[in-house]
Amino acid sequence: MSLHAARASRDALTLADPRHIAGYHELTRVQMQAIPALLGGRELLACAPTGSGKTAAFVIPMLQHLTITGSSRKRSGSGPRAVLVAPTQELARQTHREVLKLAQGGKLKAALLTRKMVTGAQAEERGGSYSGGGAASLTRYDIMVSTPLRLVGLINKGLLPMEHVTMLVLDEADKLLDLGFLEQVDTLLGACTHKSVTRALFSATMMPTIEQLADTVLRQPVRVVVGEKNAAAETVEQSLLFVGREDGKILALRQMIKQGIKPPVLVFVQSKERAVQLFHQLVLDGIRVDVIHADRSQAQRDHIVDQFRLGKVWVLIATELMARGMDFKGVQLVINFDFPQTTVSYIHRIGRTGRAGMMGRAVTFFT
């Protein structure tokens, strides 16, 4: 990276005091590359290891860009100017928290698009009223953070104007460009019609087919690859543990707990049925454990994540739901109770530890 680009990155970080206070005193490698590119209006395809600071790499230049191009008071009610998209509500919520932290003290308004907000907008369209607010309340935000389905639902009904969006970021882009989300993302891309819109794709993994698809979405993108592409973070100590038969897994886990593990610990299993079964086994052992999977309500999932962050839950059993992008400070250990089905799954699972330069450990059971 050139000296000019490095200075641009540093200046973006220090220009607004709240961002410096938020704890970002030194740029990571992906931030040093991504920030000047986005500030220069270039579209971006970035692949960097888990825990390398990708969220700040797009939030910092986004806030800088929005601040320079005008405050929300000048154009209140005309819809968002930046949209951040994540594959899960948990990751969207985490991204929203980061935006609020970095935007603290400024005039920009950011919202996490919730089910309540969507219901309110739809009720207003039908001529009713709703305590969650209507479509008018959605248009007063500068920044909208959401999963693709909720955004597309409002776009298709004409309840969320997107013509003023000048920055669109897809986080965990390889997941969002997968078949399950592709149609929704295509609608979203088509709705952002501003002539100066800048689009950016970020992920820890990027398979060749997804890269080819990204080339059809972005205009001559800057490609940023930090470290070895599609590889686990170097800060994670990895090991395999042979457990014999299937019932040897719970015995091995109990042995690890008996020998002493430092919480918080994440345990990944292959299905919600396996998660519930393991949860009941560990509860009987008197461990502060909880379980999170797709069948739990959003309120339950949010509460469990909060309890885990606060240290009130020591061991969290999870399915693939939690493997994408979630940042838990200080996770010492990730255990793959069930063997991951793909390389991508493995990289994202063990990436919940060894974040922000800290060391972590990952143990994978196999029979």
Side-chain angles (χ1 to χ4, degrees), residues 149-212:
L149 183 60
R150 288 180 179 171
L151 275 173
V152 168
L154 292 175
I155 291 169
N156 287 339
K157 291 180 179 294
L159 299 176
L160 187 64
M162 301 289 283
E163 58 267 25
H164 297 288
V165 173
T166 56
M167 187 167 287
L168 174 64
V169 177
L170 304 185
D171 195 11
E172 301 297 335
D174 61 330
K175 183 68 173 178
L176 290 172
L177 293 178
D178 205 354
L179 291 177
F181 290 107
L182 189 55
E183 186 176 344
Q184 298 164 24
V185 170
D186 192 47
T187 300
L188 180 58
L189 291 168
C192 299
T193 56
H194 196 284
K195 63 180 180 180
S196 300
V197 64
T198 299
R199 295 161 295 191
L201 278 58
F202 284 78
S203 187
T205 51
M206 197 70 68
M207 295 296 120
T209 53
I210 299 298
E211 284 193 77
Q212 293 169 10

Side-chain angles (χ1 to χ4, degrees), residues 79-136:
R81 291 188 289 150
V83 173
L84 308 179
V85 187
T88 66
Q89 190 66 11
E90 284 76 21
L91 183 53
R93 187 182 181 208
Q94 175 180 291
T95 302
H96 181 241
R97 276 199 304 268
E98 199 71 11
V99 171
L100 293 180
K101 183 171 73 173
L102 288 165
Q104 185 179 0
K107 297 177 181 179
L108 297 172
K109 297 178 181 178
L112 173 65
L113 188 59
T114 63
R115 184 180 300 171
K116 186 177 181 180
M117 293 168 70
V118 172
T119 303
Q122 292 171 341
E124 185 184 76
E125 181 200 23
R126 294 190 295 267
S129 60
Y130 189 73
S131 59

Side-chain angles (χ1 to χ4, degrees), residues 25-336:
H25 305 290
E26 184 177 339
L27 292 166
T28 65
R29 287 187 291 172
V30 67
Q31 290 162 7
M32 283 190 280
Q33 301 290 337
I35 290 174
L38 290 174
L39 286 176
R42 293 296 302 273
E43 300 207 321
L44 185 71
L45 177 62
C47 182
T50 54
S52 60
K54 290 187 290 295
T55 303
F58 57 77
V59 172
I60 289 172
M62 179 200 68
L63 294 175
Q64 188 66 22
H65 167 73
L66 295 182
T67 300
I68 292 172
T69 55
S71 70
S72 59
R73 293 180 180 178
K74 294 180 182 178
R75 43 173 310 287
S76 177
S78 54
R81 291 188 289 150
V83 173
L84 308 179
V85 187
T88 66
Q89 190 66 11
E90 284 76 21
L91 183 53
R93 187 182 181 208
Q94 175 180 291
T95 302
H96 181 241
R97 276 199 304 268
E98 199 71 11
V99 171
L100 293 180
K101 183 171 73 173
L102 288 165
Q104 185 179 0
K107 297 177 181 179
L108 297 172
K109 297 178 181 178
L112 173 65
L113 188 59
T114 63
R115 184 180 300 171
K116 186 177 181 180
M117 293 168 70
V118 172
T119 303
Q122 292 171 341
E124 185 184 76
E125 181 200 23
R126 294 190 295 267
S129 60
Y130 189 73
S131 59
S137 67
L138 293 178
T139 60
R140 62 189 174 90
Y141 293 104
D142 296 280
I143 304 161
M144 189 67 69
V145 186
S146 178
T147 54
L149 183 60
R150 288 180 179 171
L151 275 173
V152 168
L154 292 175
I155 291 169
N156 287 339
K157 291 180 179 294
L159 299 176
L160 187 64
M162 301 289 283
E163 58 267 25
H164 297 288
V165 173
T166 56
M167 187 167 287
L168 174 64
V169 177
L170 304 185
D171 195 11
E172 301 297 335
D174 61 330
K175 183 68 173 178
L176 290 172
L177 293 178
D178 205 354
L179 291 177
F181 290 107
L182 189 55
E183 186 176 344
Q184 298 164 24
V185 170
D186 192 47
T187 300
L188 180 58
L189 291 168
C192 299
T193 56
H194 196 284
K195 63 180 180 180
S196 300
V197 64
T198 299
R199 295 161 295 191
L201 278 58
F202 284 78
S203 187
T205 51
M206 197 70 68
M207 295 296 120
T209 53
I210 299 298
E211 284 193 77
Q212 293 169 10
L213 187 58
D215 283 336
T216 67
V217 171
L218 304 177
R219 301 185 307 269
Q220 298 180 323
V222 173
R223 292 175 180 267
V224 172
V225 178
V226 174
E228 187 177 346
K229 190 184 294 185
N230 301 320
E234 297 175 355
T235 52
V236 182
E237 177 192 332
Q238 306 169 58
S239 62
L240 289 168
L241 181 61
F242 179 67
V243 295
R245 299 176 303 178
E246 188 65 27
D247 56 5
K249 291 180 178 181
I250 185 64
L251 296 176
L253 180 56
R254 283 173 171 154
Q255 183 65 26
M256 289 179 67
I257 293 171
K258 185 177 180 181
Q259 291 174 349
I261 55 175
K262 188 176 180 181
V265 176
L266 270 171
V267 180
F268 282 106
V269 293
Q270 203 59 39
S271 67
K272 59 191 176 188
E273 292 79 15
R274 297 274 291 169
V276 172
Q277 180 186 30
L278 181 58
F279 168 72
H280 289 306
Q281 289 175 308
L282 293 182
V283 162
L284 294 175
D285 292 344
I287 298 168
R288 292 187 184 179
V289 61
D290 214 327
V291 59
I292 188 167
H293 51 74
D295 275 1
R296 307 204 79 163
S297 70
Q298 190 62 56
Q300 288 175 322
R301 283 152 58 173
D302 290 344
H303 177 71
I304 292 166
V305 169
D306 288 341
Q307 294 295 296
F308 188 60
R309 291 184 190 278
L310 292 170
K312 295 182 180 179
V313 171
W314 294 352
V315 177
L316 181 59
I317 303 166
T319 56
E320 291 296 313
L321 177 75
M322 303 302 294
R324 281 276 178 173
M326 290 298 291
D327 184 20
F328 299 109
K329 297 293 188 294
V331 170
Q332 303 287 324
L333 173 66
V334 168
I335 299 173
N336 286 312

